[in-house]
């Protein structure tokens, strides 16, 4: 079965270190997204990609970067981790409604990565 | 810009009680509306969706009707179970904003036996 996986599931790091969170999907979806989830804020969009070599900034992109070298993967990098980046991170993917014929893109979420920055 | 406002939680109900979680939205275009559910320790799963005014989405006994006149998409279930305990998120996708989802802040539901 197709799926979307994230690794690691839990990570503890120190302020100033570079951290990369992995996201891998086997849906063959063009669209991929990274969100962070914080109490009282719901999910906020960090970065997104609509295809290979395409990346875009979301609502809370400062301090984060992504790259898309293939369809399956969208790694999220924290260039210099800060305590404010302690959060739960979710990756998601979707097939474009233009391709699927649906009127709405349904996003499929990974299980999340809990990141703690000390 | 787009925004979603959800009923403040947490919500605690007894098993077999009626559930309503309110959701209202602001959008510049013609959005599609979603309810996602997050069970403890898991990612979000699509619960139901509606793509145009007056559509009713339904799944697992949950229902929500897209009300354009009141810009609302309230989630309802006639008889909740302990297994429905989770966090529920209302969201919208506006094709003018290129397929992105805007989420509400989430409502924690606890159902007691």
């Amino acid at each position: 079965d197709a799926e979307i996986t994230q690794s690691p599931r839990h990570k503890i790091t120190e302020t100033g270190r570079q951290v990369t969170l992995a996201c891998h999907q086997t849906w063959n979806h063009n669209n991929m997204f990274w969100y962070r989830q914080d109490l009282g804020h719901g999910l906020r969009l960090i970065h997104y990609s609509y295809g290979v070599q395409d990346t875009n900034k979301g609502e809370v992109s400062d301090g984060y970067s992504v790259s898309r070298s293939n369809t399956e993967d969208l790694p999220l990098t924290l260039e210099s981790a800060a305590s404010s980046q302690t959060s739960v991170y979710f990756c998601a993917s979707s097939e474009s409604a233009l391709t699927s014929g649906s009127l709405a893109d349904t996003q499929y979420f990974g299980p999340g990565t809990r990141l703690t920055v000390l | 810009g787009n925004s979603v406002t959800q009923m403040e939680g947490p919500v605690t109900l007894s098993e077999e009680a009626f559930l309503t979680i309110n959701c209202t939205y602001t959008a510049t275009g013609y959005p599609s509306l979603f309810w996602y559910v997050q069970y403890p320790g898991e990612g979000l799963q699509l619960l139901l969706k509606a793509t145009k005014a007056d559509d009713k989405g339904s799944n697992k006994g949950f229902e929500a009707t897209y009300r354009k006149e009141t810009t609302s998409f309230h989630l309802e279930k006639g008889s909740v179970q302990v297994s429905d305990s989770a966090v529920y998120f209302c969201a919208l996708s506006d094709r003018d904003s290129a397929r992105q989802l805007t989420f509400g802040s989430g409502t924690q539901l606890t159902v007691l036996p």
Side-chain angles (χ1 to χ4, degrees), chain A residues 9 31 35 37 40 42-43 45 48 50 90 96 102-107 109-110, chain B residues 32 34 36 38 41-44 46 49 51 89 95 98-101 103-105:
Chain A
R9 294 293 312 276
N31 308 329
Y35 297 89
Q37 183 180 27
L43 276 76
L45 185 63
Y48 58 100
Y50 291 143
F90 288 100
S96 171
S102 169
L103 291 177
D105 293 357
T106 296
Q107 291 189 16
F109 284 79
Chain B
S32 296
F34 304 80
Y36 279 83
Q38 184 181 28
E42 298 184 10
L44 279 71
L46 178 68
K49 68 181 181 183
T51 58
F89 292 93
R95 278 172 285 178
R99 297 157 274 173
Q100 298 171 37
L101 282 174
F103 285 91
S105 57

Side-chain angles (χ1 to χ4, degrees), chain A residues 4-54:
Chain A
I4 180 165
T5 57
Q6 294 184 235
S7 62
R9 294 293 312 276
H10 302 271
K11 174 77 175 178
I12 299 174
T13 191
E14 295 177 344
T15 302
R17 290 191 180 268
Q18 183 181 81
V19 177
T20 297
L21 308 182
C23 174
H24 179 80
Q25 53 99 1
T26 59
W27 294 94
N28 200 34
H29 286 162
N30 284 327
N31 308 329
M32 295 185 73
F33 307 84
W34 273 104
Y35 297 89
R36 60 177 289 172
Q37 183 180 27
D38 304 289
L39 195 63
H41 290 279
L43 276 76
R44 292 181 291 176
L45 185 63
I46 304 172
H47 281 285
Y48 58 100
S49 168
Y50 291 143
V52 176
Q53 303 300 331
D54 175 74

Side-chain angles (χ1 to χ4, degrees), chain B residues 67-81:
Chain B
R67 301 289 188 197
K68 188 176 180 182
E69 63 276 13
T70 55
T71 62
S72 64
F73 193 55
H74 304 322
L75 182 68
E76 297 182 335
K77 186 175 185 182
S79 176
V80 294
Q81 305 301 312

